[in-house]
C-alpha cells in the first residue's frame, strides 16, 4: 500500500478501504441478548394463546404494561409547569433526587447520611449505576476482583468485565432444594482474597427469587467485614419484593449501619414503573465525609466521558413523588398492589399445579421472592413449553410472575405439567 | 488525561490491610470496619479537579456581582438572558404526556426506531443513497457525548486502527471520551492563532502523515471552541485526502441548523463524505438545535459499505450499549420523533431554530460594532467570520483572568466565549472588558 500520495495524484477515491472492502467486513453478527431475545421470539409467534414470561416488566391482570397513577400525575405537573427548563443537569444529576434516593435506601435516619459519609450520583437505572460504580472501582480500588452469585442476572458479568474488573463466582442457588446454598456461599466468600468486591442482590434475587434470611444476612455481613470484602449491592426491587420499602432495604441498611463502606446501585425501573426513563442512583458509603467528597469528584470523571450528565425527565418524576408526602403515600399503595398481585400469582400457580397433581415439590413457587420464579425446569422442558404451549421464558427456567394473570395461570400450569410428565 | 483502565498498572496501596486469608468460618466475629485500623479503602483517592468548562458556571454562580455575565457553557440564552424551551418542544411534550395510551416500557437497546430513522434522514438527507441502500445503522445514544463514546468503544473493539486524530484545539471532553474508550489520541493542526482562522496547510500535512486507516474526528460545522470551519472547497480536499489514505471519518455534529440557520447547509460536510460511497461514523446531538440539553438525546450512525455489514455492526453496537446502560431514555427521543415526523411541527422547529441562529449572528455584529466604536486595538473581524455558538476571541489566559476579576465576565481560560450567553444589554459590558483587557494586559 502506498503510504503517502503526492497532492497531484489526489483524485476522488470513493472507497474507505483498499479494493472497496468495508473496514468492518470482519465484524461478526453478535448473538441476540438471551433475555431480550425471548421477547423478540414472542413477538414473532402468531399464536393467540402465547404468554410472555421473559423480561421482568410488570403486567396488569389484563396483561398490559402499567404506568402508575402517581407517575402520570407527577409527569403532568412537571410538563404543565412552564417555568421548568431543560438545561443540563450537573454531572452527578438532580441533587434532590440524589438526596432522596439515598434516604429511600439507607433510611431517613441513617447515621451514614447524617454524617455526610455518602455520595450519591444519578445514573441510568440499575445498569448505569453498576457500570459507573465498577469503573470507579477498577480505577481506584486496590482489588480488581468481583464475586458474583451463581446464577445472577445475565448482564452482570458483562458490565463488570467491560469496566475492567475480573469476575469470579460464589455459590448461591441450590438446585436440590431450589433454595439458598448457604454453606457454599459462606465457603466461597471465606476463601475470597481479602478486600475483594462482592455483588449482593439486596432483595428478590434475580433470577432465582431466593433471598437469605435476616439471620443469614447478618452472618454474611460479619464474614465480609472480617475479610474486608467490599459489598456492592444491586437494589432493583426495593418495595417490590415484600411490598414494604423498609423491609426490602434491610440487608443494605444492616451493612450501612455497621460503620463500614459499601456501594449500592438503585433502580426505579420496576418499583416506580419507570423502565424506559432509565432512572437510578449509585451511592458509595465511605468512612468519612472527606473521603466521600473526593470519591464524588472522581465519579464525575467516570461519568463525564461516558455521557456527560444524566437525563432529567425520569429523575424529576421520582423527585416530585418522593418529596411530596401525599404522592409518596400514593406510590407505596400502588407499589404494594403490584407486589400483592405477584404474590397472588404465585399462590394461584402453586394451587393450579397441586390440582393437576403435577409431580414434584412446587413450594419454591410460593417461597421465592420478587418478580421471578426459578422453576427448576431444564432447557429441554423449557423448549418443549415454548414449542407446544407458546410459553416464552429464559432458557434457565426463569419465569416472570409479573407476566402472569388469572387467565394465563391455567395455561402455564398445563404447560408445566406436560413438560414435567412428558418423557425426556 | 484519563487512561484506559486495562493498560493502567495498579499497585497495591501501602495502606492495604494486612491479609489474614483463608479464615475458617468458625473464626467470624463482628468487625465493624471495612479496612484494618478503621481506614477507608478509598483513603488514597484524590480530589479530582473541577471540569474546566463546567467549572466556569460553578465560579459564576458563586459571584455576587449584579453585572456578572456567564459566557462559559454553550447553552442558548434569550435576549433576556434566560434558558429557552422551544414552543414546538413544549407542544410535543404535552402531546406525549397527555396521551394516556403511552407507556414507559424499555426501549430496544438501539433506542426508538422512528427516532433513529428520522435522525439519519436529518443528517444524511432524505434522499441519501446510503440510507436507501440500508447501508446505515443508527442507534439512539445519550446526546453527543454518548454517541461518541459508543462509537469509540465499538472502534476500539472492532477496528484495526486504534489511533484517532483530533483537531487542535477541540472540545475539552473529546480526548477523555476517546482515551477511556481505548483509543490513543493524536492531534492535527487546525486553528491558526495568527489569522484566527483555519491552518489548512497544517491540517493537510498532519492528515497526510497519519498512518493509513487512522480515525479522524471532524466537527461537522461550527467547530468548538474556535468557530472556524473549512470552506466547502476545503472540505472536498479533506475528503479526497482522507479517502486516498483510507482515513476513517468520525463526525461530531452538535450544531446542525445552529451554525448557518439551515439544517441542510450545516450537514454538507457530512453528506459529502456519505455520498462518495465510503464509510464513516457520525455522532448527532439534539442538545442545542432542539434545546433538549438535559434530556440527553442523540444518535450514532455508522455508514457501511453494504447492508450486510451494517446489520452486523448494529448487532455489535448492542453489545457495547447493553453493559453500559442497557437501553436509552425514552422521553427526549420521543419529543424529537414527534417533531420530525410531523411536517407542521418540523416547519415550526426550523423557524425557531433559525431565530436562535440569527440572534447569535446578531450578537456577533453587535460585539464587533461595539469594539469598533471603542477603537479597541486589533483586528476583530474573526468575531464575524467565526461560525456557531462560540467565538475564539484570541484573548490570552491573563486577559481572561483580568476580565473575570475586574468585569465579572466568565469564560473558559482559552478565551472562548459563548455568543448565546450575550444580549444587547450585556454586549457593551463585554466590549468594555475586552477593551480594558487588551489595552492593559499584553
Amino acid at each position: 500500500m502506498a503510504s503517502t500520495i503526492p497532492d497531484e495524484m489526489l483524485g476522488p477515491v470513493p472507497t474507505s478501504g483498499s479494493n472497496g472492502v468495508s473496514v468492518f467486513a470482519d465484524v461478526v453478527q453478535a448473538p441476540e441478548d438471551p433475555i431480550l431475545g425471548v421477547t423478540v421470539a414472542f413477538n414473532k409467534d402468531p399464536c393467540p394463546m402465547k404468554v410472555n414470561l421473559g423480561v421482568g416488566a410488570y403486567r396488569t391482570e389484563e396483561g398490559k404494561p402499567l404506568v402508575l397513577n402517581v407517575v402520570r400525575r407527577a409527569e403532568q405537573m412537571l410538563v404543565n409547569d412552564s417555568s421548568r427548563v431543560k438545561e443540563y443537569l450537573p454531572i452527578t444529576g438532580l441533587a434532590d433526587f440524589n438526596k432522596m434516593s439515598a434516604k429511600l435506601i439507607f433510611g431517613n435516619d441513617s447515621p451514614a447520611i447524617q454524617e455526610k459519609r455518602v455520595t450519591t450520583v444519578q445514573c441510568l437505572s440499575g445498569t448505569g449505576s453498576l457500570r459507573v460504580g465498577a469503573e470507579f472501582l477498577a480505577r481506584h480500588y486496590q482489588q480488581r476482583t468481583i464475586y458474583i452469585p451463581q446464577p445472577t442476572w445475565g448482564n452482570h458479568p458483562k458490565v463488570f468485565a467491560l469496566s475492567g474488573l475480573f469476575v469470579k463466582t460464589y455459590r448461591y442457588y441450590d438446585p436440590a432444594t431450589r433454595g439458598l446454598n448457604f454453606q457454599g456461599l459462606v465457603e466461597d466468600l471465606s476463601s475470597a482474597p481479602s478486600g475483594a468486591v462482592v455483588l449482593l442482590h439486596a432483595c428478590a434475587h434475580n433470577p432465582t427469587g431466593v433471598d437469605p434470611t435476616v439471620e443469614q444476612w447478618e452472618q454474611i455481613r460479619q464474614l465480609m467485614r472480617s475479610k474486608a470484602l467490599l459489598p456492592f449491592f444491586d437494589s432493583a426491587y426495593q418495595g417490590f419484593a415484600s411490598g414494604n420499602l423498609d423491609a426490602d432495604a434491610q440487608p443494605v441498611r444492616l451493612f450501612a449501619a455497621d460503620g463500614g463502606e459499601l456501594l449500592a446501585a438503585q433502580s426505579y425501573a420496576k418499583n416506580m414503573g419507570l423502565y424506559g426513563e432509565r432512572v437510578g442512583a449509585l451511592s458509595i458509603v465511605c468512612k468519612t465525609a472527606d473521603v466521600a467528597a473526593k470519591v464524588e469528584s472522581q465519579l464525575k470523571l467516570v461519568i463525564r466521558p461516558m455521557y456527560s450528565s444524566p437525563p432529567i425527565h425520569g429523575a424529576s418524576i421520582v423527585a416530585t413523588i418522593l418529596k411530596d408526602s401525599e404522592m409518596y403515600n400514593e406510590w407505596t399503595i400502588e407499589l404494594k398492589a403490584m407486589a400483592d398481585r405477584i404474590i397472588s400469582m404465585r399462590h394461584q400457580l402453586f394451587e393450579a399445579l397441586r390440582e393437576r397433581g403435577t409431580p414434584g415439590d412446587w413450594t419454591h413457587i410460593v417461597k421465592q421472592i420478587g418478580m421471578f420464579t426459578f422453576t427448576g425446569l431444564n432447557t429441554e422442558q423449557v423448549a418443549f413449553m415454548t414449542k407446544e404451549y407458546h410459553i416464552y421464558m429464559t432458557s434457565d427456567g426463569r419465569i416472570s410472575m409479573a407476566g402472569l394473570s388469572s387467565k394465563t395461570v391455567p395455561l402455564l400450569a398445563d404447560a408445566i405439567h406436560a413438560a414435567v410428565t412428558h418423557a425426556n
Side-chain angles (χ1 to χ4, degrees), chain A residues 167-223:
Chain A
V167 176
K168 287 182 127 80
T169 61
Y170 61 91
R171 279 169 287 170
Y172 191 85
Y173 179 71
D174 186 347
T177 60
R178 288 173 188 169
L180 181 63
N181 179 357
F182 189 58
Q183 195 51 35
L185 180 156
V186 166
E187 279 173 29
D188 288 349
L189 293 192
S190 299
S191 60
S194 200
V197 185
V198 180
L199 178 76
L200 303 164
H201 293 226
C203 68
H205 180 272
N206 176 7
T208 69
V210 168
D211 287 344
T213 62
V214 175
E215 294 75 27
Q216 288 171 329
W217 271 120
E218 173 57 16
Q219 284 186 257
I220 292 169
R221 185 195 67 77
Q222 289 182 19
L223 167 57

Side-chain angles (χ1 to χ4, degrees), chain A residues 92-259:
Chain A
T92 50
L94 192 61
D96 280 355
F97 167 85
N98 290 336
K99 281 198 191 62
M100 286 182 287
S101 294
K103 287 187 165 173
L104 181 66
I105 189 159
F106 298 116
N108 286 327
D109 49 2
S110 156
I113 294 179
Q114 283 161 1
E115 291 158 23
K116 299 185 160 28
R117 297 193 286 111
V118 185
T119 169
T120 304
V121 295
Q122 180 191 339
C123 294
L124 277 88
S125 210
T127 310
S129 305
L130 292 166
R131 176 66 178 257
V132 169
E135 286 214 1
F136 169 81
L137 291 176
R139 274 183 228 189
H140 296 284
Y141 186 58
Q142 34 99 355
Q143 245 283 11
R144 299 258 296 279
T145 306
I146 182 164
Y147 282 76
I148 66 179
Q150 182 95 300
T152 193
W153 180 46
N155 203 21
H156 274 143
K158 297 163 190 169
V159 172
F160 298 128
L162 273 169
S163 303
L165 298 178
F166 303 107
V167 176
K168 287 182 127 80
T169 61
Y170 61 91
R171 279 169 287 170
Y172 191 85
Y173 179 71
D174 186 347
T177 60
R178 288 173 188 169
L180 181 63
N181 179 357
F182 189 58
Q183 195 51 35
L185 180 156
V186 166
E187 279 173 29
D188 288 349
L189 293 192
S190 299
S191 60
S194 200
V197 185
V198 180
L199 178 76
L200 303 164
H201 293 226
C203 68
H205 180 272
N206 176 7
T208 69
V210 168
D211 287 344
T213 62
V214 175
E215 294 75 27
Q216 288 171 329
W217 271 120
E218 173 57 16
Q219 284 186 257
I220 292 169
R221 185 195 67 77
Q222 289 182 19
L223 167 57
M224 286 182 62
R225 295 312 197 190
S226 75
K227 292 183 58 63
L229 300 175
L230 183 63
F232 196 157
F233 280 98
D234 184 351
S235 176
Y237 300 99
Q238 187 186 0
F240 219 105
S242 67
N244 181 294
L245 287 156
D246 292 315
D248 289 351
Q250 276 318 304
V252 179
R253 294 182 187 181
L254 207 84
F255 278 76
D258 71 8

